[in-house]
Amino acid sequence: DTAVSQTPKYLVTQMGNDKSIKCEQNLGHDTMYWYKQDSKKFLKIMFSYNNKELIINETVPNRFSPKSPDKAHLNLHINSLELGDSAVYFCASSQVLLGTGNEKLFFGSGTQLSVL
Amino acid sequence: TQLLKQSPQFLSIQEGENLTVYCNSSSVFSSLQWYRQEPGEGPVLLVTVVTGGEVKKLKRLTFQFGDARKDSSLHITAAQPGDTGLYLCAGGLGTALIFGKGTTLSVSS
């Protein structure tokens, strides 16, 4: 009954590889997000999607490509992985697009990506 | 540029002590939220404050939003080991939720 689920939990890969992280939410929310948390625990927004449309793209390298096949899914594909991509990636969802106040974000449990 | 500054960055206290965590900014936010994150998990929302000067209580936790909606504080009374975790403040800015760098709290028995 997990509200926001993302897979895999751990991802270890070599530099230069291409990998994907999947995210699904069963809350019926319209908006989904990808956040990156670095080794110092700083959580930074990468993308947000509202009804399958890209709303925010926060100066993320174009090696990162989000894909939203439907409202319940937002996957993250990363090409040509670099050492600096190592981090924990969190998927999240909210009922409405942020900016109206009082929104609540539901987070997945994270995917720890290690690029060797 | 760090929009939301949290202090202290680390806090290690004994069970039963009181503590306050601060979240400060030069920007005005439409709302401020506090999340708690445990190791290996995603952040979980504790509270949202929307009105300047607002005070919300959640059992032993008291949250305050500054009058100018630029800062907030979280006060924990009689801390318990179960309060251990990373506390994150987050501010609504346009259509994004911006996070502070967090306060890592460790409560030992």
Side-chain angles (χ1 to χ4, degrees), chain A residues 9 35 37 40-43 55-56 90 97-99 102-105 107-109, chain B residues 30-31 33 35 37 40-43 45 48 50 86 88 94-97 99-101:
Chain A
K9 177 73 174 173
Y35 278 83
Q37 188 170 46
K40 295 184 178 180
K41 304 299 183 185
F42 183 44
L43 204 57
I55 303 298
I56 293 176
F90 285 98
L97 185 61
L98 293 172
N102 211 30
E103 296 87 355
K104 178 174 182 176
L105 244 59
F107 283 86
S109 58
Chain B
S30 56
S31 64
Q33 301 183 342
Y35 288 78
Q37 183 180 10
E41 298 295 328
L45 180 67
T48 300
V50 180
L86 175 68
L88 297 158
T95 57
L97 194 65
F99 282 82
K101 290 195 173 184

PDB file of all heavy atoms in Angstrom, chain A residues 9 35 37 40-43 55-56 90 97-99 102-105 107-109, chain B residues 30-31 33 35 37 40-43 45 48 50 86 88 94-97 99-101:
ATOM      1  N   LYS A   9      15.882   0.497  -5.209  1.00  0.00           N
ATOM      2  CA  LYS A   9      16.281   1.175  -3.985  1.00  0.00           C
ATOM      3  C   LYS A   9      17.773   1.543  -4.047  1.00  0.00           C
ATOM      4  O   LYS A   9      18.164   2.608  -3.575  1.00  0.00           O
ATOM      5  CB  LYS A   9      16.028   0.256  -2.785  1.00  0.00           C
ATOM      6  CG  LYS A   9      16.478   0.814  -1.446  1.00  0.00           C
ATOM      7  CD  LYS A   9      15.584   1.922  -0.949  1.00  0.00           C
ATOM      8  CE  LYS A   9      15.987   2.349   0.459  1.00  0.00           C
ATOM      9  NZ  LYS A   9      15.230   3.540   0.909  1.00  0.00           N
ATOM     10  N   TYR A  35      13.538  14.899  -7.008  1.00  0.00           N
ATOM     11  CA  TYR A  35      14.481  15.665  -6.208  1.00  0.00           C
ATOM     12  C   TYR A  35      15.787  14.882  -6.111  1.00  0.00           C
ATOM     13  O   TYR A  35      15.789  13.656  -6.115  1.00  0.00           O
ATOM     14  CB  TYR A  35      13.948  15.895  -4.779  1.00  0.00           C
ATOM     15  CG  TYR A  35      12.984  17.047  -4.628  1.00  0.00           C
ATOM     16  CD1 TYR A  35      11.630  16.893  -4.914  1.00  0.00           C
ATOM     17  CD2 TYR A  35      13.432  18.288  -4.181  1.00  0.00           C
ATOM     18  CE1 TYR A  35      10.749  17.959  -4.756  1.00  0.00           C
ATOM     19  CE2 TYR A  35      12.568  19.355  -4.016  1.00  0.00           C
ATOM     20  CZ  TYR A  35      11.221  19.175  -4.304  1.00  0.00           C
ATOM     21  OH  TYR A  35      10.348  20.229  -4.142  1.00  0.00           O
ATOM     22  N   GLN A  37      19.163  14.451  -3.610  1.00  0.00           N
ATOM     23  CA  GLN A  37      19.749  14.760  -2.293  1.00  0.00           C
ATOM     24  C   GLN A  37      21.228  14.386  -2.315  1.00  0.00           C
ATOM     25  O   GLN A  37      21.571  13.215  -2.502  1.00  0.00           O
ATOM     26  CB  GLN A  37      19.020  14.011  -1.172  1.00  0.00           C
ATOM     27  CG  GLN A  37      19.454  14.442   0.220  1.00  0.00           C
ATOM     28  CD  GLN A  37      18.558  13.868   1.305  1.00  0.00           C
ATOM     29  OE1 GLN A  37      18.235  12.684   1.298  1.00  0.00           O
ATOM     30  NE2 GLN A  37      18.144  14.711   2.246  1.00  0.00           N
ATOM     31  N   LYS A  40      25.580  15.848   1.437  1.00  0.00           N
ATOM     32  CA  LYS A  40      25.384  16.728   2.589  1.00  0.00           C
ATOM     33  C   LYS A  40      23.907  16.887   2.930  1.00  0.00           C
ATOM     34  O   LYS A  40      23.536  17.768   3.698  1.00  0.00           O
ATOM     35  CB  LYS A  40      26.025  18.095   2.323  1.00  0.00           C
ATOM     36  CG  LYS A  40      27.543  18.021   2.178  1.00  0.00           C
ATOM     37  CD  LYS A  40      28.156  19.380   2.008  1.00  0.00           C
ATOM     38  CE  LYS A  40      29.677  19.274   1.920  1.00  0.00           C
ATOM     39  NZ  LYS A  40      30.323  20.580   1.746  1.00  0.00           N
ATOM     40  N   LYS A  41      23.080  16.019   2.360  1.00  0.00           N
ATOM     41  CA  LYS A  41      21.643  15.966   2.661  1.00  0.00           C
ATOM     42  C   LYS A  41      20.851  17.130   2.056  1.00  0.00           C
ATOM     43  O   LYS A  41      19.691  17.323   2.425  1.00  0.00           O
ATOM     44  CB  LYS A  41      21.382  15.913   4.177  1.00  0.00           C
ATOM     45  CG  LYS A  41      22.085  14.772   4.865  1.00  0.00           C
ATOM     46  CD  LYS A  41      21.627  13.449   4.330  1.00  0.00           C
ATOM     47  CE  LYS A  41      22.295  12.309   5.086  1.00  0.00           C
ATOM     48  NZ  LYS A  41      21.962  10.996   4.496  1.00  0.00           N
ATOM     49  N   PHE A  42      21.465  17.910   1.154  1.00  0.00           N
ATOM     50  CA  PHE A  42      20.749  19.009   0.528  1.00  0.00           C
ATOM     51  C   PHE A  42      19.807  18.460  -0.539  1.00  0.00           C
ATOM     52  O   PHE A  42      20.245  17.755  -1.457  1.00  0.00           O
ATOM     53  CB  PHE A  42      21.724  20.012  -0.060  1.00  0.00           C
ATOM     54  CG  PHE A  42      21.069  21.224  -0.656  1.00  0.00           C
ATOM     55  CD1 PHE A  42      20.028  21.868   0.007  1.00  0.00           C
ATOM     56  CD2 PHE A  42      21.485  21.732  -1.869  1.00  0.00           C
ATOM     57  CE1 PHE A  42      19.423  22.991  -0.527  1.00  0.00           C
ATOM     58  CE2 PHE A  42      20.884  22.865  -2.415  1.00  0.00           C
ATOM     59  CZ  PHE A  42      19.852  23.486  -1.744  1.00  0.00           C
ATOM     60  N   LEU A  43      18.529  18.792  -0.408  1.00  0.00           N
ATOM     61  CA  LEU A  43      17.492  18.277  -1.297  1.00  0.00           C
ATOM     62  C   LEU A  43      17.159  19.356  -2.320  1.00  0.00           C
ATOM     63  O   LEU A  43      16.678  20.436  -1.974  1.00  0.00           O
ATOM     64  CB  LEU A  43      16.255  17.948  -0.455  1.00  0.00           C
ATOM     65  CG  LEU A  43      15.248  16.929  -0.934  1.00  0.00           C
ATOM     66  CD1 LEU A  43      15.890  15.599  -1.196  1.00  0.00           C
ATOM     67  CD2 LEU A  43      14.146  16.796   0.090  1.00  0.00           C
ATOM     68  N   ILE A  55       6.701  21.042 -15.926  1.00  0.00           N
ATOM     69  CA  ILE A  55       6.494  22.369 -15.377  1.00  0.00           C
ATOM     70  C   ILE A  55       7.819  23.009 -14.985  1.00  0.00           C
ATOM     71  O   ILE A  55       8.066  24.178 -15.246  1.00  0.00           O
ATOM     72  CB  ILE A  55       5.565  22.325 -14.148  1.00  0.00           C
ATOM     73  CG1 ILE A  55       4.226  21.689 -14.522  1.00  0.00           C
ATOM     74  CG2 ILE A  55       5.375  23.699 -13.545  1.00  0.00           C
ATOM     75  CD1 ILE A  55       3.446  22.455 -15.572  1.00  0.00           C
ATOM     76  N   ILE A  56       8.656  22.248 -14.300  1.00  0.00           N
ATOM     77  CA  ILE A  56       9.934  22.769 -13.815  1.00  0.00           C
ATOM     78  C   ILE A  56      11.062  21.901 -14.335  1.00  0.00           C
ATOM     79  O   ILE A  56      11.003  20.683 -14.268  1.00  0.00           O
ATOM     80  CB  ILE A  56       9.983  22.778 -12.271  1.00  0.00           C
ATOM     81  CG1 ILE A  56       9.002  23.778 -11.711  1.00  0.00           C
ATOM     82  CG2 ILE A  56      11.395  23.088 -11.772  1.00  0.00           C
ATOM     83  CD1 ILE A  56       8.931  23.757 -10.188  1.00  0.00           C
ATOM     84  N   PHE A  90      14.961  11.232  -5.097  1.00  0.00           N
ATOM     85  CA  PHE A  90      13.637  11.036  -4.521  1.00  0.00           C
ATOM     86  C   PHE A  90      12.559  11.455  -5.501  1.00  0.00           C
ATOM     87  O   PHE A  90      12.611  12.535  -6.089  1.00  0.00           O
ATOM     88  CB  PHE A  90      13.470  11.871  -3.244  1.00  0.00           C
ATOM     89  CG  PHE A  90      14.196  11.321  -2.058  1.00  0.00           C
ATOM     90  CD1 PHE A  90      15.435  11.820  -1.696  1.00  0.00           C
ATOM     91  CD2 PHE A  90      13.632  10.302  -1.300  1.00  0.00           C
ATOM     92  CE1 PHE A  90      16.109  11.318  -0.597  1.00  0.00           C
ATOM     93  CE2 PHE A  90      14.295   9.793  -0.194  1.00  0.00           C
ATOM     94  CZ  PHE A  90      15.546  10.295   0.153  1.00  0.00           C
ATOM     95  N   LEU A  97      -0.417  21.487  -7.966  1.00  0.00           N
ATOM     96  CA  LEU A  97       0.871  22.093  -8.268  1.00  0.00           C
ATOM     97  C   LEU A  97       1.217  23.074  -7.157  1.00  0.00           C
ATOM     98  O   LEU A  97       0.374  23.834  -6.694  1.00  0.00           O
ATOM     99  CB  LEU A  97       0.781  22.829  -9.602  1.00  0.00           C
ATOM    100  CG  LEU A  97       2.065  23.434 -10.162  1.00  0.00           C
ATOM    101  CD1 LEU A  97       3.100  22.360 -10.409  1.00  0.00           C
ATOM    102  CD2 LEU A  97       1.764  24.203 -11.445  1.00  0.00           C
ATOM    103  N   LEU A  98       2.442  23.045  -6.724  1.00  0.00           N
ATOM    104  CA  LEU A  98       2.890  23.932  -5.661  1.00  0.00           C
ATOM    105  C   LEU A  98       2.730  25.390  -6.070  1.00  0.00           C
ATOM    106  O   LEU A  98       2.813  25.733  -7.236  1.00  0.00           O
ATOM    107  CB  LEU A  98       4.350  23.661  -5.324  1.00  0.00           C
ATOM    108  CG  LEU A  98       4.626  22.302  -4.678  1.00  0.00           C
ATOM    109  CD1 LEU A  98       6.116  22.087  -4.569  1.00  0.00           C
ATOM    110  CD2 LEU A  98       3.986  22.221  -3.316  1.00  0.00           C
ATOM    111  N   GLY A  99       2.550  26.241  -5.076  1.00  0.00           N
ATOM    112  CA  GLY A  99       2.435  27.668  -5.335  1.00  0.00           C
ATOM    113  C   GLY A  99       1.134  28.233  -4.816  1.00  0.00           C
ATOM    114  O   GLY A  99       0.982  29.430  -4.712  1.00  0.00           O
ATOM    115  N   ASN A 102      -0.016  25.530   1.300  1.00  0.00           N
ATOM    116  CA  ASN A 102      -0.588  24.402   2.024  1.00  0.00           C
ATOM    117  C   ASN A 102      -0.528  23.084   1.267  1.00  0.00           C
ATOM    118  O   ASN A 102      -1.291  22.167   1.546  1.00  0.00           O
ATOM    119  CB  ASN A 102      -2.043  24.697   2.410  1.00  0.00           C
ATOM    120  CG  ASN A 102      -2.415  24.004   3.712  1.00  0.00           C
ATOM    121  OD1 ASN A 102      -1.568  23.791   4.568  1.00  0.00           O
ATOM    122  ND2 ASN A 102      -3.666  23.621   3.851  1.00  0.00           N
ATOM    123  N   GLU A 103       0.378  22.975   0.276  1.00  0.00           N
ATOM    124  CA  GLU A 103       0.501  21.701  -0.414  1.00  0.00           C
ATOM    125  C   GLU A 103       1.268  20.716   0.457  1.00  0.00           C
ATOM    126  O   GLU A 103       2.081  21.088   1.274  1.00  0.00           O
ATOM    127  CB  GLU A 103       1.263  21.872  -1.745  1.00  0.00           C
ATOM    128  CG  GLU A 103       0.566  22.738  -2.735  1.00  0.00           C
ATOM    129  CD  GLU A 103       0.896  24.202  -2.550  1.00  0.00           C
ATOM    130  OE1 GLU A 103       1.597  24.551  -1.580  1.00  0.00           O
ATOM    131  OE2 GLU A 103       0.448  25.000  -3.384  1.00  0.00           O
ATOM    132  N   LYS A 104       1.005  19.457   0.250  1.00  0.00           N
ATOM    133  CA  LYS A 104       1.715  18.425   0.990  1.00  0.00           C
ATOM    134  C   LYS A 104       2.419  17.527  -0.016  1.00  0.00           C
ATOM    135  O   LYS A 104       1.778  17.023  -0.944  1.00  0.00           O
ATOM    136  CB  LYS A 104       0.735  17.608   1.821  1.00  0.00           C
ATOM    137  CG  LYS A 104       1.405  16.474   2.592  1.00  0.00           C
ATOM    138  CD  LYS A 104       0.406  15.790   3.512  1.00  0.00           C
ATOM    139  CE  LYS A 104       1.084  14.690   4.317  1.00  0.00           C
ATOM    140  NZ  LYS A 104       0.173  14.060   5.288  1.00  0.00           N
ATOM    141  N   LEU A 105       3.720  17.355   0.165  1.00  0.00           N
ATOM    142  CA  LEU A 105       4.488  16.479  -0.702  1.00  0.00           C
ATOM    143  C   LEU A 105       4.630  15.107  -0.067  1.00  0.00           C
ATOM    144  O   LEU A 105       4.932  14.991   1.122  1.00  0.00           O
ATOM    145  CB  LEU A 105       5.897  17.067  -0.907  1.00  0.00           C
ATOM    146  CG  LEU A 105       6.266  17.493  -2.328  1.00  0.00           C
ATOM    147  CD1 LEU A 105       5.318  18.544  -2.831  1.00  0.00           C
ATOM    148  CD2 LEU A 105       7.693  17.984  -2.378  1.00  0.00           C
ATOM    149  N   PHE A 107       6.788  11.724  -0.404  1.00  0.00           N
ATOM    150  CA  PHE A 107       8.035  11.264  -0.994  1.00  0.00           C
ATOM    151  C   PHE A 107       8.113   9.738  -1.040  1.00  0.00           C
ATOM    152  O   PHE A 107       7.584   9.048  -0.161  1.00  0.00           O
ATOM    153  CB  PHE A 107       9.238  11.766  -0.176  1.00  0.00           C
ATOM    154  CG  PHE A 107       9.574  13.212  -0.409  1.00  0.00           C
ATOM    155  CD1 PHE A 107       8.942  14.210   0.306  1.00  0.00           C
ATOM    156  CD2 PHE A 107      10.539  13.560  -1.343  1.00  0.00           C
ATOM    157  CE1 PHE A 107       9.260  15.553   0.092  1.00  0.00           C
ATOM    158  CE2 PHE A 107      10.867  14.894  -1.559  1.00  0.00           C
ATOM    159  CZ  PHE A 107      10.218  15.887  -0.846  1.00  0.00           C
ATOM    160  N   GLY A 108       8.801   9.240  -2.055  1.00  0.00           N
ATOM    161  CA  GLY A 108       9.196   7.848  -2.071  1.00  0.00           C
ATOM    162  C   GLY A 108      10.360   7.647  -1.119  1.00  0.00           C
ATOM    163  O   GLY A 108      10.847   8.610  -0.504  1.00  0.00           O
ATOM    164  N   SER A 109      10.835   6.425  -1.012  1.00  0.00           N
ATOM    165  CA  SER A 109      11.901   6.131  -0.053  1.00  0.00           C
ATOM    166  C   SER A 109      13.297   6.323  -0.636  1.00  0.00           C
ATOM    167  O   SER A 109      14.286   6.075   0.036  1.00  0.00           O
ATOM    168  CB  SER A 109      11.750   4.722   0.507  1.00  0.00           C
ATOM    169  OG  SER A 109      11.760   3.804  -0.556  1.00  0.00           O
TER     170      SER A 109
ATOM    171  N   SER B  30       5.184  31.875   0.457  1.00  0.00           N
ATOM    172  CA  SER B  30       3.736  31.711   0.556  1.00  0.00           C
ATOM    173  C   SER B  30       3.390  30.734   1.673  1.00  0.00           C
ATOM    174  O   SER B  30       2.312  30.814   2.267  1.00  0.00           O
ATOM    175  CB  SER B  30       3.158  31.221  -0.773  1.00  0.00           C
ATOM    176  OG  SER B  30       3.800  30.005  -1.167  1.00  0.00           O
ATOM    177  N   SER B  31       4.284  29.814   1.938  1.00  0.00           N
ATOM    178  CA  SER B  31       4.086  28.861   3.036  1.00  0.00           C
ATOM    179  C   SER B  31       5.440  28.292   3.429  1.00  0.00           C
ATOM    180  O   SER B  31       6.393  28.358   2.657  1.00  0.00           O
ATOM    181  CB  SER B  31       3.158  27.716   2.616  1.00  0.00           C
ATOM    182  OG  SER B  31       3.759  26.952   1.585  1.00  0.00           O
ATOM    183  N   GLN B  33       7.085  24.743   5.287  1.00  0.00           N
ATOM    184  CA  GLN B  33       6.789  23.407   5.768  1.00  0.00           C
ATOM    185  C   GLN B  33       7.998  22.851   6.512  1.00  0.00           C
ATOM    186  O   GLN B  33       9.139  23.220   6.243  1.00  0.00           O
ATOM    187  CB  GLN B  33       6.449  22.480   4.592  1.00  0.00           C
ATOM    188  CG  GLN B  33       5.257  22.964   3.775  1.00  0.00           C
ATOM    189  CD  GLN B  33       4.897  22.001   2.659  1.00  0.00           C
ATOM    190  OE1 GLN B  33       5.675  21.160   2.264  1.00  0.00           O
ATOM    191  NE2 GLN B  33       3.674  22.131   2.154  1.00  0.00           N
ATOM    192  N   TYR B  35       9.692  19.110   7.484  1.00  0.00           N
ATOM    193  CA  TYR B  35       9.696  17.675   7.215  1.00  0.00           C
ATOM    194  C   TYR B  35      10.713  17.017   8.147  1.00  0.00           C
ATOM    195  O   TYR B  35      11.692  17.631   8.577  1.00  0.00           O
ATOM    196  CB  TYR B  35      10.117  17.390   5.767  1.00  0.00           C
ATOM    197  CG  TYR B  35       9.092  17.743   4.726  1.00  0.00           C
ATOM    198  CD1 TYR B  35       8.891  19.057   4.311  1.00  0.00           C
ATOM    199  CD2 TYR B  35       8.316  16.751   4.133  1.00  0.00           C
ATOM    200  CE1 TYR B  35       7.952  19.382   3.355  1.00  0.00           C
ATOM    201  CE2 TYR B  35       7.374  17.055   3.158  1.00  0.00           C
ATOM    202  CZ  TYR B  35       7.197  18.366   2.775  1.00  0.00           C
ATOM    203  OH  TYR B  35       6.269  18.673   1.818  1.00  0.00           O
ATOM    204  N   GLN B  37      13.098  13.486   8.186  1.00  0.00           N
ATOM    205  CA  GLN B  37      13.582  12.391   7.364  1.00  0.00           C
ATOM    206  C   GLN B  37      14.413  11.431   8.205  1.00  0.00           C
ATOM    207  O   GLN B  37      15.339  11.856   8.906  1.00  0.00           O
ATOM    208  CB  GLN B  37      14.425  12.926   6.200  1.00  0.00           C
ATOM    209  CG  GLN B  37      14.906  11.850   5.237  1.00  0.00           C
ATOM    210  CD  GLN B  37      15.741  12.418   4.099  1.00  0.00           C
ATOM    211  OE1 GLN B  37      16.129  13.578   4.102  1.00  0.00           O
ATOM    212  NE2 GLN B  37      16.021  11.600   3.112  1.00  0.00           N
ATOM    213  N   GLY B  40      17.455   6.272   5.144  1.00  0.00           N
ATOM    214  CA  GLY B  40      16.928   5.311   4.187  1.00  0.00           C
ATOM    215  C   GLY B  40      15.490   5.555   3.779  1.00  0.00           C
ATOM    216  O   GLY B  40      14.895   4.732   3.062  1.00  0.00           O
ATOM    217  N   GLU B  41      14.938   6.679   4.222  1.00  0.00           N
ATOM    218  CA  GLU B  41      13.546   6.985   3.887  1.00  0.00           C
ATOM    219  C   GLU B  41      13.438   8.381   3.299  1.00  0.00           C
ATOM    220  O   GLU B  41      14.373   9.181   3.390  1.00  0.00           O
ATOM    221  CB  GLU B  41      12.651   6.895   5.132  1.00  0.00           C
ATOM    222  CG  GLU B  41      12.594   5.518   5.755  1.00  0.00           C
ATOM    223  CD  GLU B  41      11.950   4.493   4.831  1.00  0.00           C
ATOM    224  OE1 GLU B  41      11.049   4.876   4.052  1.00  0.00           O
ATOM    225  OE2 GLU B  41      12.373   3.308   4.860  1.00  0.00           O
ATOM    226  N   GLY B  42      12.278   8.667   2.713  1.00  0.00           N
ATOM    227  CA  GLY B  42      12.034  10.005   2.217  1.00  0.00           C
ATOM    228  C   GLY B  42      11.510  10.913   3.313  1.00  0.00           C
ATOM    229  O   GLY B  42      11.037  10.437   4.351  1.00  0.00           O
ATOM    230  N   PRO B  43      11.582  12.226   3.112  1.00  0.00           N
ATOM    231  CA  PRO B  43      11.047  13.162   4.101  1.00  0.00           C
ATOM    232  C   PRO B  43       9.544  12.980   4.277  1.00  0.00           C
ATOM    233  O   PRO B  43       8.827  12.666   3.324  1.00  0.00           O
ATOM    234  CB  PRO B  43      11.350  14.532   3.485  1.00  0.00           C
ATOM    235  CG  PRO B  43      12.432  14.285   2.492  1.00  0.00           C
ATOM    236  CD  PRO B  43      12.192  12.904   1.970  1.00  0.00           C
ATOM    237  N   LEU B  45       6.145  14.992   5.863  1.00  0.00           N
ATOM    238  CA  LEU B  45       5.676  16.299   6.292  1.00  0.00           C
ATOM    239  C   LEU B  45       5.195  16.272   7.740  1.00  0.00           C
ATOM    240  O   LEU B  45       4.419  15.404   8.144  1.00  0.00           O
ATOM    241  CB  LEU B  45       4.531  16.767   5.392  1.00  0.00           C
ATOM    242  CG  LEU B  45       3.931  18.130   5.727  1.00  0.00           C
ATOM    243  CD1 LEU B  45       4.937  19.237   5.459  1.00  0.00           C
ATOM    244  CD2 LEU B  45       2.644  18.381   4.930  1.00  0.00           C
ATOM    245  N   THR B  48       2.563  22.450   8.006  1.00  0.00           N
ATOM    246  CA  THR B  48       2.644  23.567   7.073  1.00  0.00           C
ATOM    247  C   THR B  48       2.138  24.815   7.788  1.00  0.00           C
ATOM    248  O   THR B  48       1.086  24.774   8.428  1.00  0.00           O
ATOM    249  CB  THR B  48       1.767  23.323   5.837  1.00  0.00           C
ATOM    250  OG1 THR B  48       2.199  22.135   5.178  1.00  0.00           O
ATOM    251  CG2 THR B  48       1.877  24.493   4.864  1.00  0.00           C
ATOM    252  N   VAL B  50       1.166  28.880   7.111  1.00  0.00           N
ATOM    253  CA  VAL B  50       0.799  29.707   5.969  1.00  0.00           C
ATOM    254  C   VAL B  50       0.699  31.193   6.343  1.00  0.00           C
ATOM    255  O   VAL B  50       1.079  32.065   5.556  1.00  0.00           O
ATOM    256  CB  VAL B  50      -0.537  29.231   5.366  1.00  0.00           C
ATOM    257  CG1 VAL B  50      -0.936  30.083   4.182  1.00  0.00           C
ATOM    258  CG2 VAL B  50      -0.442  27.774   4.948  1.00  0.00           C
ATOM    259  N   LEU B  86      16.641  13.865  10.550  1.00  0.00           N
ATOM    260  CA  LEU B  86      17.007  15.080   9.816  1.00  0.00           C
ATOM    261  C   LEU B  86      15.757  15.931   9.672  1.00  0.00           C
ATOM    262  O   LEU B  86      14.745  15.471   9.133  1.00  0.00           O
ATOM    263  CB  LEU B  86      17.559  14.706   8.437  1.00  0.00           C
ATOM    264  CG  LEU B  86      17.887  15.856   7.488  1.00  0.00           C
ATOM    265  CD1 LEU B  86      19.074  16.665   8.007  1.00  0.00           C
ATOM    266  CD2 LEU B  86      18.193  15.315   6.089  1.00  0.00           C
ATOM    267  N   LEU B  88      13.989  19.145   8.054  1.00  0.00           N
ATOM    268  CA  LEU B  88      14.128  19.999   6.882  1.00  0.00           C
ATOM    269  C   LEU B  88      13.009  21.029   6.853  1.00  0.00           C
ATOM    270  O   LEU B  88      11.839  20.675   7.022  1.00  0.00           O
ATOM    271  CB  LEU B  88      14.051  19.164   5.607  1.00  0.00           C
ATOM    272  CG  LEU B  88      15.138  18.115   5.386  1.00  0.00           C
ATOM    273  CD1 LEU B  88      14.670  17.037   4.422  1.00  0.00           C
ATOM    274  CD2 LEU B  88      16.403  18.775   4.844  1.00  0.00           C
ATOM    275  N   GLY B  94       6.904  30.296  -5.848  1.00  0.00           N
ATOM    276  CA  GLY B  94       6.359  30.017  -7.163  1.00  0.00           C
ATOM    277  C   GLY B  94       5.798  28.617  -7.195  1.00  0.00           C
ATOM    278  O   GLY B  94       5.034  28.225  -6.305  1.00  0.00           O
ATOM    279  N   THR B  95       6.180  27.851  -8.184  1.00  0.00           N
ATOM    280  CA  THR B  95       5.664  26.483  -8.308  1.00  0.00           C
ATOM    281  C   THR B  95       6.674  25.449  -7.828  1.00  0.00           C
ATOM    282  O   THR B  95       6.598  24.283  -8.196  1.00  0.00           O
ATOM    283  CB  THR B  95       5.281  26.179  -9.768  1.00  0.00           C
ATOM    284  OG1 THR B  95       6.436  26.385 -10.583  1.00  0.00           O
ATOM    285  CG2 THR B  95       4.144  27.050 -10.231  1.00  0.00           C
ATOM    286  N   ALA B  96       7.613  25.863  -6.999  1.00  0.00           N
ATOM    287  CA  ALA B  96       8.619  24.929  -6.490  1.00  0.00           C
ATOM    288  C   ALA B  96       8.634  24.955  -4.971  1.00  0.00           C
ATOM    289  O   ALA B  96       8.248  25.940  -4.346  1.00  0.00           O
ATOM    290  CB  ALA B  96      10.003  25.285  -7.032  1.00  0.00           C
ATOM    291  N   LEU B  97       9.053  23.852  -4.388  1.00  0.00           N
ATOM    292  CA  LEU B  97       9.274  23.778  -2.945  1.00  0.00           C
ATOM    293  C   LEU B  97      10.773  23.724  -2.734  1.00  0.00           C
ATOM    294  O   LEU B  97      11.424  22.763  -3.159  1.00  0.00           O
ATOM    295  CB  LEU B  97       8.586  22.544  -2.365  1.00  0.00           C
ATOM    296  CG  LEU B  97       8.444  22.505  -0.850  1.00  0.00           C
ATOM    297  CD1 LEU B  97       7.537  23.618  -0.372  1.00  0.00           C
ATOM    298  CD2 LEU B  97       7.894  21.156  -0.400  1.00  0.00           C
ATOM    299  N   PHE B  99      14.105  23.574  -0.372  1.00  0.00           N
ATOM    300  CA  PHE B  99      14.470  23.026   0.927  1.00  0.00           C
ATOM    301  C   PHE B  99      15.709  23.702   1.493  1.00  0.00           C
ATOM    302  O   PHE B  99      16.618  24.109   0.759  1.00  0.00           O
ATOM    303  CB  PHE B  99      14.743  21.526   0.812  1.00  0.00           C
ATOM    304  CG  PHE B  99      13.498  20.692   0.735  1.00  0.00           C
ATOM    305  CD1 PHE B  99      12.826  20.516  -0.461  1.00  0.00           C
ATOM    306  CD2 PHE B  99      12.987  20.080   1.878  1.00  0.00           C
ATOM    307  CE1 PHE B  99      11.676  19.758  -0.525  1.00  0.00           C
ATOM    308  CE2 PHE B  99      11.838  19.318   1.830  1.00  0.00           C
ATOM    309  CZ  PHE B  99      11.175  19.152   0.621  1.00  0.00           C
ATOM    310  N   GLY B 100      15.747  23.786   2.840  1.00  0.00           N
ATOM    311  CA  GLY B 100      16.966  24.157   3.536  1.00  0.00           C
ATOM    312  C   GLY B 100      17.877  22.942   3.582  1.00  0.00           C
ATOM    313  O   GLY B 100      17.504  21.849   3.174  1.00  0.00           O
ATOM    314  N   LYS B 101      19.095  23.136   4.126  1.00  0.00           N
ATOM    315  CA  LYS B 101      20.061  22.048   4.141  1.00  0.00           C
ATOM    316  C   LYS B 101      19.855  21.087   5.307  1.00  0.00           C
ATOM    317  O   LYS B 101      20.532  20.072   5.407  1.00  0.00           O
ATOM    318  CB  LYS B 101      21.486  22.587   4.151  1.00  0.00           C
ATOM    319  CG  LYS B 101      21.869  23.241   2.837  1.00  0.00           C
ATOM    320  CD  LYS B 101      23.362  23.445   2.705  1.00  0.00           C
ATOM    321  CE  LYS B 101      23.704  23.929   1.316  1.00  0.00           C
ATOM    322  NZ  LYS B 101      25.158  24.044   1.101  1.00  0.00           N
TER     323      LYS B 101
END
